[in-house]
């Protein structure tokens, strides 16, 4: 596939089905700011950011893109691209500042306005209930490691879907439970910063169970609901042709992909991974696996890169290590660029699990943008990344994958978790001093494509 901008493959919106969803994705903590306004409670990310050394540039989401106040302008930007849908997340601590119990009316009113703003612009709202900002009060009681947090999540889902379900039909329970469990509770570089495998596995089980337990509540409250979950999935590639690396691929795939896909599709946890985990396997109670396998209307897939893995006998129970092979094209984050990987991944999900519809709920890249003397940001690499992944999405459709939508990550540059503001994923540039938004060349291309 070409990397020469002048030889981009021809691509038209009409290459995709008429009902295809086109949009951008965002998340509350990454863009909203206003973390102490209108009764919002503290989240684990507020606490994590306040802990020295956790965030690379020492920043936080306290102001971020000030979307809490600037949302009309941001929705106008989404509309100006020609999008027909918009994915956002709801901040649990705005709705239930203490995690459960008292509901904060102002929090609900904010999302009322936001959703009405989308509808007024013809943008179909897609809400994620949990994009990582757990109320700190729940963390103080044990967080996702505690089974009671599942009940709190179901209560929260109930409050929000009762209020917005008359207008908002597309609901995603969780965004990337792998990240919450493993980055937050094993590697410790995301909130709440725990480092313990057994805890991470229990958290993972509780996240999946909370998804399954929330689904019937969402369906009861939302007439015509379309509900699903979003996973971060990766094609897993062997670092070499050795038998040891081939076996490593299977083990890594078990913990990275099948650990989520199997139970969500009624197969329970993969036996090979369970055996490797031994004592670190989660405690599962009767009925849990059936609840996790509650039917969904779609699977959300966040695709960024394939993982290249090697056998690593000394590395934990899974005994694999992600390697950085030379001569692999990478983004500024160091993530491999592989549009082909998207085709491989989507075909595999369709073949092995056959969800009714797959939506790409995130896909995007970070590069070191330069603001030109004329104020423009000609982000050639991000634009190419976008085009090449859309070509891949079209190819997946051609091969029979029931792909229903594509949401670029992200509408705006934003707070990139442990990286702070050092990584820019937006197709719209944000000047964090003035809060001025400037569509980059990638946004101009996306708009041109969506209007083609
Ligand atoms: O910014 C994140 C997002 O919150 C979840 N998916 C991956 C993105 C890029 O790291």
């Amino acid at each position: 596939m070409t990397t020469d901008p002048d030889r981009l493959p021809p691509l038209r919106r009409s290459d995709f089905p008429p009902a295809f969803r086109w949009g951008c994705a965002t998340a509350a903590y990454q863009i909203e700011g206003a973390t102490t306004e209108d009764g919002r409670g503290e989240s684990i990310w507020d606490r994590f950011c306040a802990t020295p050394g956790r965030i690379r540039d020492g920043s936080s989401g306290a102001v971020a893109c000030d979307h809490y106040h600037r949302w009309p302008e941001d929705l106008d930007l989404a509309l100006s691209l020609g999008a027909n849908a918009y994915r956002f997340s709801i901040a649990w601590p705005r709705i239930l500042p203490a995690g459960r119990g008292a509901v904060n009316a102002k929090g609900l009113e904010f999302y009322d306005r936001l959703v009405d703003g989308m509808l007024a612009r013809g943008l179909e709202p897609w809400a994620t209930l949990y994009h990582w900002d757990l109320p700190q009060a729940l963390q103080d009681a044990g967080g996702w490691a505690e089974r009671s947090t599942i009940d709190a999540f179901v209560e929260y889902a109930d409050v929000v879907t009762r209020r917005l379900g008359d207008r908002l039909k597309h609901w995603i329970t969780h965004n990337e439970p792998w990240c919450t469990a493993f980055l937050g509770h094993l590697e410790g570089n995301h909130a709440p910063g725990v480092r313990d495998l057994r805890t991470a596995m229990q958290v993972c089980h509780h996240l999946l169970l909370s998804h399954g337990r929330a689904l019937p509540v969402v369906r009861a409250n939302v007439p015509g609901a379309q509900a699903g979950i979003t996973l971060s999935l990766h094609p897993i590639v062997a670092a070499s042709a050795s038998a040891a690396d081939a076996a490593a691929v299977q083990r890594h795939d078990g913990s990275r992909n099948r650990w989520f896909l199997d139970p969500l599709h009624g197969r329970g946890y993969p036996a090979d991974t369970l055996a490797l985990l031994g004592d670190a396997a989660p405690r599962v109670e009767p009925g849990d696996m059936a609840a996790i396998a509650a039917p969904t209307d779609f699977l959300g897939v966040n695709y960024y890169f394939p993982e290249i893995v090697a056998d690593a006998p000394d590395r934990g129970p899974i005994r694999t290590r992600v390697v950085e092979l030379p001569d692999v094209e990478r983004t500024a984050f160091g993530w491999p660029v592989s549009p082909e990987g998207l085709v491989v991944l989507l075909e595999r999900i369709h073949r092995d699990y056959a969800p009714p519809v797959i939506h790409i709920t995130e896909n995007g890249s970070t590069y070191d943008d330069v603001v030109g003397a004329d104020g423009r940001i000609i982000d050639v690499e991000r634009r190419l990344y976008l085009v090449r992944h859309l070509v891949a999405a079209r190819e997946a459709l051609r091969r029979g994958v029931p792909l229903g939508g594509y949401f670029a990550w992200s509408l705006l540059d934003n707070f990139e978790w442990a990286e702070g503001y050092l990584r820019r994923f937006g197709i719209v540039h944000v000047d964090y001093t003035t809060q001025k938004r400037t569509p980059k060349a990638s946004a101009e291309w996306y708009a041109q494509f969506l209007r083609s």
Side-chain angles (χ1 to χ4, degrees):
M1 207 174 274
T2 181
T3 53
D4 175 350
D6 296 327
R7 299 184 53 207
L8 293 175
L11 191 68
R12 286 200 179 75
R13 184 171 180 161
S14 55
D15 296 343
F16 293 79
F20 205 80
R21 268 37 173 243
W22 293 105
C24 292
T26 60
Y29 191 74
Q30 294 181 272
I31 64 168
E32 282 180 4
T35 49
T36 53
E37 228 169 293
D38 287 343
R40 178 187 177 279
E42 188 188 14
S43 84
I44 55 172
W45 273 93
D46 300 308
R47 182 72 63 92
F48 193 68
C49 293
T51 313
R54 295 300 207 176
I55 309 299
R56 262 185 72 204
D57 60 0
S59 66
S60 75
V63 177
C65 306
D66 194 29
H67 174 77
Y68 191 74
H69 302 110
R70 295 169 195 262
W71 62 266
E73 181 188 351
D74 295 338
L75 295 186
D76 286 346
L77 275 168
L79 179 63
S80 72
L81 298 173
N84 57 18
Y86 177 77
R87 176 175 176 233
F88 69 109
S89 82
I90 295 172
W92 186 346
R94 281 199 200 284
I95 309 297
L96 294 143
R100 57 199 311 178
V103 174
N104 176 31
K106 291 205 160 146
L108 284 173
E109 284 160 18
F110 170 67
Y111 292 106
D112 257 342
R113 293 194 293 277
L114 192 62
V115 168
D116 288 346
M118 289 174 215
L119 294 171
R121 290 166 177 79
L123 296 167
E124 183 176 64
W126 286 55
T128 307
L129 284 166
Y130 188 74
H131 200 127
W132 309 354
D133 41 3
L134 186 74
Q136 181 62 41
L138 292 178
Q139 187 61 42
D140 293 343
W144 283 111
E146 283 298 319
R147 225 175 142 90
S148 56
T149 300
I150 299 170
D151 302 325
F153 179 73
V154 175
E155 267 175 53
Y156 157 61
D158 185 37
V159 170
V160 173
T161 52
R162 265 180 207 279
R163 176 66 167 251
L164 300 174
D166 57 337
R167 290 152 287 161
L168 202 170
K169 303 298 175 188
H170 292 82
W171 292 91
I172 296 169
T173 51
H174 283 281
N175 182 70
E176 302 178 348
W178 183 90
C179 293
T180 303
F182 291 90
L183 298 181
H185 297 83
L186 176 61
E187 297 178 17
N189 49 9
H190 274 198
V194 175
R195 291 202 171 100
D196 179 63
L197 177 63
R198 191 192 289 235
T199 308
M201 298 318 300
Q202 198 60 48
V203 163
C204 207
H205 180 63
H206 291 163
L207 289 166
L208 289 171
L209 187 52
S210 70
H211 152 81
R213 294 257 316 272
L215 278 179
V217 174
V218 174
R219 292 198 196 291
N221 292 344
V222 182
Q226 292 286 301
I229 186 169
T230 277
L231 303 176
S232 47
L233 298 171
H234 305 257
I236 313 294
V237 182
S240 78
S242 73
D245 285 354
V249 166
Q250 288 311 310
R251 294 197 300 277
H252 201 81
D253 183 56
S255 67
R256 223 10 173 141
N257 297 322
R258 286 183 283 121
W259 190 260
F260 300 87
L261 288 164
D262 279 14
L264 288 167
H265 293 89
R267 300 179 196 172
Y269 288 122
D272 57 337
T273 313
L274 270 177
L276 291 169
L277 286 171
D279 287 353
R283 280 185 317 279
V284 175
E285 295 192 6
D288 285 3
M289 300 317 289
I292 292 173
T296 49
D297 301 295
F298 62 85
L299 177 68
V301 173
N302 289 357
Y303 173 71
Y304 288 90
F305 55 91
E307 281 195 339
I308 305 165
V309 301
D311 182 40
D314 55 337
R315 301 270 307 238
I318 308 296
R319 307 193 319 269
T320 62
R321 136 181 98 83
V322 176
V323 295
E324 296 206 349
L325 293 182
D327 303 327
V328 168
E329 187 189 345
R330 292 175 193 284
T331 67
F333 219 149
W335 294 354
V337 176
S338 173
E340 300 78 8
L342 178 60
V343 184
V344 170
L345 178 68
L346 293 175
E347 278 200 293
R348 184 262 175 112
I349 298 168
H350 175 52
R351 184 188 62 235
D352 292 355
Y353 299 96
V357 186
I358 302 173
H359 296 286
I360 299 170
T361 40
E362 284 180 30
N363 171 241
S365 57
T366 175
Y367 291 101
D368 297 329
D369 296 325
V370 178
V371 183
D374 57 358
R376 295 189 67 204
I377 299 105
I378 311 298
D379 56 339
V380 175
E381 292 156 306
R382 188 179 291 98
R383 187 184 64 179
L384 255 173
Y385 182 101
L386 177 60
V387 178
R388 291 163 69 199
H389 284 78
L390 289 182
V391 170
R394 180 178 64 181
E395 177 60 18
L397 267 166
R398 197 188 64 76
R399 296 190 194 183
V401 174
L403 195 59
Y406 178 92
F407 294 81
W409 184 267
S410 180
L411 175 65
L412 304 171
D413 288 334
N414 59 49
F415 176 77
E416 176 56 25
W417 309 111
E419 298 285 308
Y421 297 96
L422 299 176
R423 305 288 179 199
R424 292 181 178 270
F425 273 93
I427 60 173
V428 173
H429 178 269
V430 176
D431 178 328
Y432 295 114
T433 313
T434 60
Q435 290 293 348
K436 181 170 187 282
R437 277 82 161 128
T438 309
K440 304 177 190 176
S442 52
E444 287 165 8
W445 181 86
Y446 198 33
Q448 198 186 343
F449 162 73
L450 289 179
R451 297 184 182 291
S452 68

